[in-house]
Every structure is written in C-alpha cells, then in structure tokens.
Short mmCIF file of all heavy atoms in Angstrom, two decimals:
data_model
loop_
_atom_site.label_atom_id
_atom_site.label_comp_id
_atom_site.label_asym_id
_atom_site.label_seq_id
_atom_site.Cartn_x
_atom_site.Cartn_y
_atom_site.Cartn_z
N MET A 741 -126.80 54.68 -26.34
CA MET A 741 -127.48 54.39 -25.07
C MET A 741 -126.60 54.76 -23.89
O MET A 741 -125.39 54.44 -23.85
CB MET A 741 -127.74 52.87 -25.03
CG MET A 741 -128.65 52.52 -23.83
SD MET A 741 -129.61 51.02 -24.16
CE MET A 741 -130.26 50.75 -22.54
N ALA A 742 -127.21 55.39 -22.97
CA ALA A 742 -126.41 55.82 -21.79
C ALA A 742 -126.26 54.70 -20.78
O ALA A 742 -127.08 53.76 -20.67
CB ALA A 742 -127.10 56.95 -21.10
N LYS A 743 -125.20 54.76 -20.07
CA LYS A 743 -125.01 53.82 -18.99
C LYS A 743 -124.41 54.52 -17.79
O LYS A 743 -123.57 55.36 -17.87
CB LYS A 743 -124.00 52.74 -19.50
CG LYS A 743 -124.10 51.45 -18.78
CD LYS A 743 -123.54 50.31 -19.57
CE LYS A 743 -124.30 49.02 -19.24
NZ LYS A 743 -123.77 47.91 -20.02
N TYR A 744 -124.97 54.15 -16.64
CA TYR A 744 -124.53 54.78 -15.43
C TYR A 744 -123.75 53.77 -14.60
O TYR A 744 -124.12 52.60 -14.46
CB TYR A 744 -125.79 55.21 -14.62
CG TYR A 744 -126.54 56.32 -15.30
CD1 TYR A 744 -127.50 56.03 -16.25
CD2 TYR A 744 -126.32 57.65 -14.95
CE1 TYR A 744 -128.20 57.04 -16.92
CE2 TYR A 744 -127.01 58.67 -15.61
CZ TYR A 744 -127.93 58.38 -16.54
OH TYR A 744 -128.65 59.34 -17.18
N SER A 745 -122.62 54.27 -14.01
CA SER A 745 -121.87 53.40 -13.16
C SER A 745 -121.45 54.10 -11.94
O SER A 745 -121.37 55.29 -11.84
CB SER A 745 -120.65 52.91 -13.95
OG SER A 745 -119.78 53.97 -14.27
N PHE A 746 -121.20 53.29 -10.91
CA PHE A 746 -120.85 53.81 -9.61
C PHE A 746 -119.81 52.87 -9.00
O PHE A 746 -119.91 51.69 -8.98
CB PHE A 746 -122.06 53.89 -8.70
CG PHE A 746 -121.74 54.18 -7.26
CD1 PHE A 746 -121.44 55.45 -6.84
CD2 PHE A 746 -121.75 53.17 -6.29
CE1 PHE A 746 -121.12 55.73 -5.55
CE2 PHE A 746 -121.36 53.44 -4.99
CZ PHE A 746 -121.08 54.74 -4.61
N LYS A 747 -118.81 53.55 -8.41
CA LYS A 747 -117.74 52.84 -7.63
C LYS A 747 -117.74 53.31 -6.23
O LYS A 747 -117.64 54.49 -5.96
CB LYS A 747 -116.38 53.13 -8.24
CG LYS A 747 -116.04 52.23 -9.42
CD LYS A 747 -114.60 52.53 -9.88
CE LYS A 747 -114.44 52.06 -11.34
NZ LYS A 747 -113.28 52.67 -11.98
N CYS A 748 -117.86 52.36 -5.35
CA CYS A 748 -117.84 52.73 -3.90
C CYS A 748 -116.55 53.47 -3.52
O CYS A 748 -116.58 54.41 -2.76
CB CYS A 748 -117.96 51.44 -3.08
SG CYS A 748 -119.05 51.60 -1.70
N ALA A 749 -115.43 53.09 -4.13
CA ALA A 749 -114.14 53.74 -3.79
C ALA A 749 -114.21 55.23 -4.11
O ALA A 749 -113.47 55.99 -3.51
CB ALA A 749 -113.00 53.02 -4.58
N ASP A 750 -115.04 55.57 -5.08
CA ASP A 750 -115.11 57.03 -5.49
C ASP A 750 -115.74 57.90 -4.41
O ASP A 750 -115.62 59.14 -4.49
CB ASP A 750 -115.90 57.17 -6.73
CG ASP A 750 -115.12 56.70 -7.98
OD1 ASP A 750 -113.89 56.41 -7.87
OD2 ASP A 750 -115.72 56.60 -9.10
N ILE A 751 -116.39 57.32 -3.41
CA ILE A 751 -116.89 58.16 -2.33
C ILE A 751 -116.03 57.97 -1.08
O ILE A 751 -116.45 58.29 0.05
CB ILE A 751 -118.38 57.92 -2.00
CG1 ILE A 751 -118.69 56.45 -1.63
CG2 ILE A 751 -119.29 58.35 -3.19
CD1 ILE A 751 -120.00 56.31 -0.92
N GLY A 752 -114.85 57.43 -1.31
CA GLY A 752 -113.89 57.36 -0.19
C GLY A 752 -113.97 56.11 0.64
O GLY A 752 -113.37 56.01 1.71
N MET A 753 -114.76 55.14 0.15
CA MET A 753 -114.89 53.90 0.88
C MET A 753 -113.78 52.90 0.53
O MET A 753 -113.37 52.90 -0.64
CB MET A 753 -116.21 53.17 0.60
CG MET A 753 -117.44 53.95 0.97
SD MET A 753 -117.58 54.03 2.77
CE MET A 753 -119.34 53.93 2.96
N ASN A 754 -113.32 52.14 1.52
CA ASN A 754 -112.33 51.13 1.23
C ASN A 754 -113.02 49.90 0.78
O ASN A 754 -113.17 49.00 1.59
CB ASN A 754 -111.45 50.95 2.50
CG ASN A 754 -110.32 49.97 2.26
OD1 ASN A 754 -109.93 49.70 1.11
ND2 ASN A 754 -109.79 49.39 3.34
N CYS A 755 -113.48 49.95 -0.43
CA CYS A 755 -114.38 48.87 -0.88
C CYS A 755 -114.30 48.76 -2.40
O CYS A 755 -114.11 49.76 -3.13
CB CYS A 755 -115.79 49.35 -0.49
SG CYS A 755 -117.13 48.34 -1.10
N GLY A 756 -114.29 47.56 -2.90
CA GLY A 756 -114.16 47.33 -4.33
C GLY A 756 -115.39 47.20 -5.07
O GLY A 756 -115.45 46.84 -6.27
N PHE A 757 -116.55 47.56 -4.49
CA PHE A 757 -117.84 47.42 -5.11
C PHE A 757 -118.00 48.39 -6.34
O PHE A 757 -117.63 49.55 -6.24
CB PHE A 757 -118.97 47.70 -4.07
CG PHE A 757 -120.32 47.74 -4.68
CD1 PHE A 757 -121.02 46.53 -4.95
CD2 PHE A 757 -121.01 48.90 -4.90
CE1 PHE A 757 -122.35 46.54 -5.46
CE2 PHE A 757 -122.31 48.93 -5.42
CZ PHE A 757 -122.97 47.74 -5.70
N GLU A 758 -118.54 47.82 -7.35
CA GLU A 758 -118.73 48.60 -8.59
C GLU A 758 -120.06 48.10 -9.18
O GLU A 758 -120.30 46.93 -9.20
CB GLU A 758 -117.61 48.39 -9.54
CG GLU A 758 -117.61 49.33 -10.70
CD GLU A 758 -116.38 49.09 -11.63
OE1 GLU A 758 -115.44 48.38 -11.20
OE2 GLU A 758 -116.42 49.60 -12.72
N THR A 759 -120.89 49.05 -9.64
CA THR A 759 -122.14 48.60 -10.26
C THR A 759 -122.48 49.43 -11.44
O THR A 759 -122.03 50.62 -11.58
CB THR A 759 -123.24 48.54 -9.19
OG1 THR A 759 -124.44 47.93 -9.76
CG2 THR A 759 -123.65 49.93 -8.73
N LYS A 760 -123.36 48.90 -12.31
CA LYS A 760 -123.79 49.63 -13.53
C LYS A 760 -125.19 49.37 -13.76
O LYS A 760 -125.74 48.34 -13.43
CB LYS A 760 -122.99 49.03 -14.73
CG LYS A 760 -121.56 49.35 -14.86
CD LYS A 760 -121.04 48.86 -16.23
CE LYS A 760 -119.51 49.08 -16.24
NZ LYS A 760 -118.78 47.92 -15.98
N ALA A 761 -125.86 50.34 -14.41
CA ALA A 761 -127.24 50.12 -14.86
C ALA A 761 -127.51 51.10 -16.05
O ALA A 761 -126.76 51.98 -16.28
CB ALA A 761 -128.19 50.46 -13.72
N SER A 762 -128.60 50.84 -16.74
CA SER A 762 -128.89 51.65 -17.89
C SER A 762 -129.58 52.96 -17.52
O SER A 762 -129.56 53.90 -18.36
CB SER A 762 -129.65 50.89 -18.92
OG SER A 762 -130.77 50.31 -18.36
N THR A 763 -130.14 53.03 -16.38
CA THR A 763 -130.76 54.30 -15.88
C THR A 763 -130.35 54.58 -14.44
O THR A 763 -129.95 53.63 -13.72
CB THR A 763 -132.33 54.30 -15.97
OG1 THR A 763 -132.77 53.30 -14.99
CG2 THR A 763 -132.85 53.95 -17.32
N LYS A 764 -130.42 55.84 -14.06
CA LYS A 764 -130.12 56.19 -12.74
C LYS A 764 -131.13 55.59 -11.75
O LYS A 764 -130.79 55.23 -10.60
CB LYS A 764 -130.14 57.73 -12.58
CG LYS A 764 -129.16 58.31 -11.60
CD LYS A 764 -129.03 59.75 -11.66
CE LYS A 764 -128.18 60.30 -10.57
NZ LYS A 764 -128.04 61.78 -10.67
N GLU A 765 -132.32 55.52 -12.19
CA GLU A 765 -133.38 54.90 -11.42
C GLU A 765 -133.15 53.43 -11.04
O GLU A 765 -133.55 52.96 -10.03
CB GLU A 765 -134.78 55.05 -12.10
CG GLU A 765 -135.38 56.42 -12.20
CD GLU A 765 -134.60 57.39 -13.06
OE1 GLU A 765 -133.97 56.92 -14.06
OE2 GLU A 765 -134.48 58.59 -12.70
N GLU A 766 -132.46 52.76 -12.00
CA GLU A 766 -132.10 51.38 -11.74
C GLU A 766 -130.87 51.24 -10.87
O GLU A 766 -130.67 50.26 -10.15
CB GLU A 766 -131.87 50.62 -13.05
CG GLU A 766 -133.11 50.23 -13.84
CD GLU A 766 -132.75 49.69 -15.18
OE1 GLU A 766 -131.83 48.95 -15.33
OE2 GLU A 766 -133.46 50.09 -16.18
N LEU A 767 -130.00 52.25 -11.00
CA LEU A 767 -128.72 52.21 -10.35
C LEU A 767 -128.92 52.44 -8.81
O LEU A 767 -128.29 51.83 -7.98
CB LEU A 767 -127.82 53.29 -10.94
CG LEU A 767 -126.35 53.27 -10.44
CD1 LEU A 767 -125.66 51.95 -10.81
CD2 LEU A 767 -125.60 54.44 -11.07
N MET A 768 -129.78 53.44 -8.46
CA MET A 768 -129.90 53.81 -7.08
C MET A 768 -130.26 52.68 -6.10
O MET A 768 -129.62 52.53 -5.11
CB MET A 768 -130.94 54.97 -6.93
CG MET A 768 -130.47 56.28 -7.55
SD MET A 768 -128.77 56.70 -7.30
CE MET A 768 -128.77 57.32 -5.62
N PRO A 769 -131.23 51.85 -6.45
CA PRO A 769 -131.53 50.73 -5.52
C PRO A 769 -130.36 49.71 -5.39
O PRO A 769 -130.19 49.11 -4.33
CB PRO A 769 -132.76 49.99 -6.16
CG PRO A 769 -133.07 50.68 -7.42
CD PRO A 769 -132.24 51.85 -7.56
N LEU A 770 -129.58 49.55 -6.43
CA LEU A 770 -128.41 48.73 -6.40
C LEU A 770 -127.40 49.28 -5.38
O LEU A 770 -126.76 48.53 -4.62
CB LEU A 770 -127.72 48.54 -7.75
CG LEU A 770 -128.54 47.94 -8.84
CD1 LEU A 770 -127.86 48.02 -10.21
CD2 LEU A 770 -128.92 46.53 -8.56
N ILE A 771 -127.24 50.61 -5.41
CA ILE A 771 -126.32 51.22 -4.50
C ILE A 771 -126.87 51.16 -3.05
O ILE A 771 -126.15 50.83 -2.15
CB ILE A 771 -126.09 52.73 -4.91
CG1 ILE A 771 -125.37 52.77 -6.28
CG2 ILE A 771 -125.23 53.46 -3.89
CD1 ILE A 771 -125.38 54.16 -6.90
N ALA A 772 -128.18 51.45 -2.90
CA ALA A 772 -128.78 51.38 -1.61
C ALA A 772 -128.72 50.02 -0.96
O ALA A 772 -128.38 49.86 0.19
CB ALA A 772 -130.26 51.83 -1.73
N ASN A 773 -128.90 49.02 -1.83
CA ASN A 773 -128.78 47.63 -1.31
C ASN A 773 -127.41 47.27 -0.90
O ASN A 773 -127.17 46.60 0.12
CB ASN A 773 -129.30 46.66 -2.44
CG ASN A 773 -129.40 45.24 -1.97
OD1 ASN A 773 -130.06 44.99 -0.93
ND2 ASN A 773 -128.75 44.37 -2.63
N HIS A 774 -126.40 47.75 -1.61
CA HIS A 774 -125.00 47.50 -1.29
C HIS A 774 -124.68 48.20 0.03
O HIS A 774 -124.05 47.67 0.87
CB HIS A 774 -124.09 47.92 -2.39
CG HIS A 774 -122.65 48.03 -1.98
ND1 HIS A 774 -121.88 46.91 -1.83
CD2 HIS A 774 -121.87 49.04 -1.66
CE1 HIS A 774 -120.68 47.26 -1.38
NE2 HIS A 774 -120.65 48.56 -1.31
N ALA A 775 -125.11 49.46 0.15
CA ALA A 775 -124.86 50.28 1.31
C ALA A 775 -125.41 49.52 2.54
O ALA A 775 -124.79 49.58 3.60
CB ALA A 775 -125.48 51.63 1.20
N LYS A 776 -126.58 48.96 2.41
CA LYS A 776 -127.24 48.26 3.49
C LYS A 776 -126.50 46.98 3.94
O LYS A 776 -126.20 46.76 5.06
CB LYS A 776 -128.68 47.91 3.02
CG LYS A 776 -129.63 47.60 4.11
CD LYS A 776 -130.99 47.41 3.41
CE LYS A 776 -132.13 47.26 4.39
NZ LYS A 776 -133.45 47.31 3.70
N THR A 777 -126.21 46.17 2.87
CA THR A 777 -125.60 44.83 3.15
C THR A 777 -124.11 44.96 3.56
O THR A 777 -123.61 44.24 4.42
CB THR A 777 -125.76 43.85 2.04
OG1 THR A 777 -125.30 44.47 0.80
CG2 THR A 777 -127.22 43.55 1.84
N ALA A 778 -123.36 45.85 2.84
CA ALA A 778 -121.94 45.87 3.01
C ALA A 778 -121.48 46.95 4.08
O ALA A 778 -120.44 46.86 4.66
CB ALA A 778 -121.21 46.16 1.71
N HIS A 779 -122.26 48.02 4.13
CA HIS A 779 -121.87 49.14 5.03
C HIS A 779 -122.84 49.41 6.17
O HIS A 779 -122.71 50.44 6.78
CB HIS A 779 -121.57 50.39 4.19
CG HIS A 779 -120.57 50.14 3.14
ND1 HIS A 779 -119.26 49.90 3.35
CD2 HIS A 779 -120.72 50.14 1.78
CE1 HIS A 779 -118.62 49.76 2.25
NE2 HIS A 779 -119.49 49.87 1.26
N SER A 780 -123.72 48.50 6.41
CA SER A 780 -124.76 48.64 7.48
C SER A 780 -125.46 49.99 7.47
O SER A 780 -125.75 50.54 8.56
CB SER A 780 -124.13 48.39 8.87
OG SER A 780 -123.29 47.27 8.82
N MET A 781 -125.76 50.55 6.29
CA MET A 781 -126.49 51.79 6.19
C MET A 781 -127.94 51.46 5.84
O MET A 781 -128.18 51.20 4.63
CB MET A 781 -125.89 52.70 5.12
CG MET A 781 -124.65 53.35 5.52
SD MET A 781 -124.12 54.45 4.14
CE MET A 781 -122.41 54.76 4.57
N ASN A 782 -128.79 51.41 6.80
CA ASN A 782 -130.23 51.11 6.49
C ASN A 782 -130.81 52.28 5.67
O ASN A 782 -131.66 52.06 4.81
CB ASN A 782 -131.00 50.84 7.72
CG ASN A 782 -130.74 49.44 8.23
OD1 ASN A 782 -130.49 48.49 7.50
ND2 ASN A 782 -130.64 49.31 9.55
N GLU A 783 -130.32 53.45 6.02
CA GLU A 783 -130.70 54.61 5.20
C GLU A 783 -129.51 55.37 4.86
O GLU A 783 -128.60 55.52 5.75
CB GLU A 783 -131.67 55.48 6.02
CG GLU A 783 -133.07 55.45 5.52
CD GLU A 783 -133.94 56.35 6.36
OE1 GLU A 783 -134.06 57.56 6.05
OE2 GLU A 783 -134.56 55.80 7.30
N ILE A 784 -129.33 55.81 3.61
CA ILE A 784 -128.13 56.52 3.26
C ILE A 784 -128.29 57.95 3.72
O ILE A 784 -129.26 58.65 3.32
CB ILE A 784 -127.92 56.43 1.69
CG1 ILE A 784 -127.80 54.98 1.29
CG2 ILE A 784 -126.67 57.26 1.30
CD1 ILE A 784 -127.69 54.79 -0.24
N PRO A 785 -127.33 58.40 4.56
CA PRO A 785 -127.42 59.81 5.03
C PRO A 785 -127.26 60.82 3.85
O PRO A 785 -126.66 60.51 2.84
CB PRO A 785 -126.17 59.92 5.94
CG PRO A 785 -125.67 58.53 6.22
CD PRO A 785 -126.16 57.67 5.07
N ALA A 786 -127.89 61.97 4.05
CA ALA A 786 -127.95 62.98 2.99
C ALA A 786 -126.55 63.33 2.45
O ALA A 786 -126.39 63.51 1.26
CB ALA A 786 -128.68 64.22 3.49
N ASP A 787 -125.56 63.47 3.31
CA ASP A 787 -124.24 63.87 2.87
C ASP A 787 -123.59 62.76 2.05
O ASP A 787 -122.92 63.07 1.05
CB ASP A 787 -123.32 64.27 4.04
CG ASP A 787 -123.18 63.21 5.07
OD1 ASP A 787 -124.10 62.42 5.36
OD2 ASP A 787 -122.01 63.04 5.62
N VAL A 788 -123.84 61.48 2.38
CA VAL A 788 -123.33 60.39 1.63
C VAL A 788 -124.06 60.35 0.29
O VAL A 788 -123.44 60.13 -0.78
CB VAL A 788 -123.48 59.08 2.43
CG1 VAL A 788 -123.05 57.86 1.57
CG2 VAL A 788 -122.69 59.12 3.72
N MET A 789 -125.32 60.58 0.30
CA MET A 789 -126.17 60.58 -0.89
C MET A 789 -125.64 61.58 -1.89
O MET A 789 -125.60 61.33 -3.11
CB MET A 789 -127.58 60.94 -0.49
CG MET A 789 -128.63 60.42 -1.46
SD MET A 789 -128.57 58.59 -1.49
CE MET A 789 -129.23 58.37 -3.13
N GLN A 790 -125.19 62.73 -1.37
CA GLN A 790 -124.71 63.78 -2.28
C GLN A 790 -123.39 63.32 -2.93
O GLN A 790 -123.17 63.56 -4.09
CB GLN A 790 -124.40 65.02 -1.37
CG GLN A 790 -124.74 66.37 -2.05
CD GLN A 790 -124.73 67.48 -1.11
OE1 GLN A 790 -124.40 67.35 0.08
NE2 GLN A 790 -125.18 68.63 -1.60
N LYS A 791 -122.56 62.64 -2.13
CA LYS A 791 -121.31 62.08 -2.65
C LYS A 791 -121.61 61.00 -3.73
O LYS A 791 -120.91 60.96 -4.77
CB LYS A 791 -120.45 61.45 -1.52
CG LYS A 791 -119.76 62.43 -0.68
CD LYS A 791 -118.83 61.64 0.29
CE LYS A 791 -118.41 62.49 1.50
NZ LYS A 791 -117.72 61.65 2.46
N VAL A 792 -122.55 60.18 -3.41
CA VAL A 792 -122.97 59.14 -4.35
C VAL A 792 -123.39 59.74 -5.68
O VAL A 792 -122.92 59.33 -6.73
CB VAL A 792 -124.10 58.28 -3.76
CG1 VAL A 792 -124.72 57.35 -4.82
CG2 VAL A 792 -123.61 57.39 -2.57
N ASN A 793 -124.25 60.74 -5.58
CA ASN A 793 -124.72 61.42 -6.80
C ASN A 793 -123.60 61.99 -7.67
O ASN A 793 -123.68 61.92 -8.84
CB ASN A 793 -125.75 62.50 -6.47
CG ASN A 793 -127.16 61.94 -6.37
OD1 ASN A 793 -127.61 61.30 -7.35
ND2 ASN A 793 -127.85 62.15 -5.30
N SER A 794 -122.63 62.59 -6.97
CA SER A 794 -121.49 63.20 -7.76
C SER A 794 -120.53 62.15 -8.22
O SER A 794 -119.78 62.40 -9.17
CB SER A 794 -120.90 64.32 -7.03
OG SER A 794 -120.50 63.94 -5.73
N ALA A 795 -120.56 60.96 -7.63
CA ALA A 795 -119.65 59.91 -8.06
C ALA A 795 -120.21 59.04 -9.19
O ALA A 795 -119.46 58.31 -9.82
CB ALA A 795 -119.28 59.03 -6.86
N ILE A 796 -121.50 59.19 -9.43
CA ILE A 796 -122.12 58.42 -10.53
C ILE A 796 -121.65 58.95 -11.84
O ILE A 796 -121.66 60.14 -12.14
CB ILE A 796 -123.67 58.46 -10.48
CG1 ILE A 796 -124.15 57.70 -9.24
CG2 ILE A 796 -124.28 57.88 -11.75
CD1 ILE A 796 -125.64 57.82 -8.92
N LYS A 797 -121.13 58.00 -12.67
CA LYS A 797 -120.61 58.40 -14.00
C LYS A 797 -121.55 57.94 -15.10
O LYS A 797 -122.05 56.83 -15.07
CB LYS A 797 -119.27 57.77 -14.21
CG LYS A 797 -118.18 58.40 -13.30
CD LYS A 797 -116.78 57.99 -13.68
CE LYS A 797 -115.75 58.67 -12.80
NZ LYS A 797 -115.71 58.10 -11.45
N LYS A 798 -121.74 58.87 -16.03
CA LYS A 798 -122.62 58.58 -17.09
C LYS A 798 -121.76 58.37 -18.35
O LYS A 798 -120.98 59.27 -18.69
CB LYS A 798 -123.59 59.73 -17.33
CG LYS A 798 -124.67 59.48 -18.36
CD LYS A 798 -125.50 60.74 -18.57
CE LYS A 798 -126.57 60.54 -19.65
NZ LYS A 798 -127.29 61.74 -19.95
N SER A 799 -121.89 57.29 -18.99
CA SER A 799 -121.10 57.09 -20.22
C SER A 799 -122.07 56.82 -21.42
O SER A 799 -123.14 56.22 -21.27
CB SER A 799 -120.13 55.95 -20.04
OG SER A 799 -120.72 54.84 -19.45
N LEU A 800 -121.68 57.38 -22.51
CA LEU A 800 -122.51 57.21 -23.76
C LEU A 800 -121.71 56.36 -24.72
O LEU A 800 -120.55 56.55 -24.90
CB LEU A 800 -122.77 58.60 -24.40
CG LEU A 800 -123.56 59.60 -23.59
CD1 LEU A 800 -123.33 60.99 -24.12
CD2 LEU A 800 -125.00 59.27 -23.59
N PHE A 801 -122.41 55.37 -25.28
CA PHE A 801 -121.81 54.61 -26.36
C PHE A 801 -122.86 54.00 -27.28
O PHE A 801 -124.03 54.10 -27.05
CB PHE A 801 -120.80 53.57 -25.81
CG PHE A 801 -121.35 52.66 -24.80
CD1 PHE A 801 -121.90 51.45 -25.26
CD2 PHE A 801 -121.39 53.01 -23.48
CE1 PHE A 801 -122.45 50.54 -24.29
CE2 PHE A 801 -121.90 52.13 -22.52
CZ PHE A 801 -122.41 50.89 -22.93
ZN1 ZN B 1278 -119.02 49.57 -0.68
#
C-alpha cells in the first residue's frame, strides 16, 4: 500500500509540519488546510503548489 507524506520544511518553510495520507487526493486538502491556518495562504500560489508537488514523497510498504 502506498503512502504519501509531506513536510513543510521540504519547501523551504521554517515549519515543523508533517502530514501523511494514503492517497494524494487525501493529502492535498491536509496541506491546503495547513497552509491556510499556519501560513495565511487562503489559496496556494502556483509556484508554491509546484514545490509542494515535488516535495510529496511516496513510500511503498
Ligand atoms: Zn507549514
């Protein structure tokens, strides 16, 4: 089963936030919600979104 994880620090944020989900579709709203509450991003800018996408790690186990 695949697992997706994201660390805020991986996109250059000085932030210890880390989240995991079993699908990318589940992971994205968790990231969006964090960006909104912790980083005051009501909408994630396209350039940040690109960084987020490349920072998402997929692990298989
Ligand atoms: Zn963060």
Side-chain angles (χ1 to χ4, degrees):
M741 187 155 172
K743 205 157 208 179
Y744 294 83
S745 63
F746 171 79
K747 278 184 200 162
C748 220
D750 286 350
I751 59 164
M753 296 293 216
N754 183 18
C755 173
F757 176 78
E758 190 177 350
T759 189
K760 288 188 185 99
S762 52
T763 66
K764 212 171 174 179
E765 288 68 33
E766 284 173 41
L767 189 64
M768 293 321 282
L770 300 173
I771 297 170
N773 187 54
H774 168 76
K776 198 176 188 173
T777 56
H779 303 293
S780 315
M781 284 181 195
N782 284 322
E783 251 178 86
I784 301 177
D787 59 324
V788 176
M789 206 60 206
Q790 217 166 9
K791 283 188 199 171
V792 167
N793 271 308
S794 51
I796 291 172
K797 291 191 177 75
K798 186 184 176 185
S799 44
L800 298 161
F801 55 92

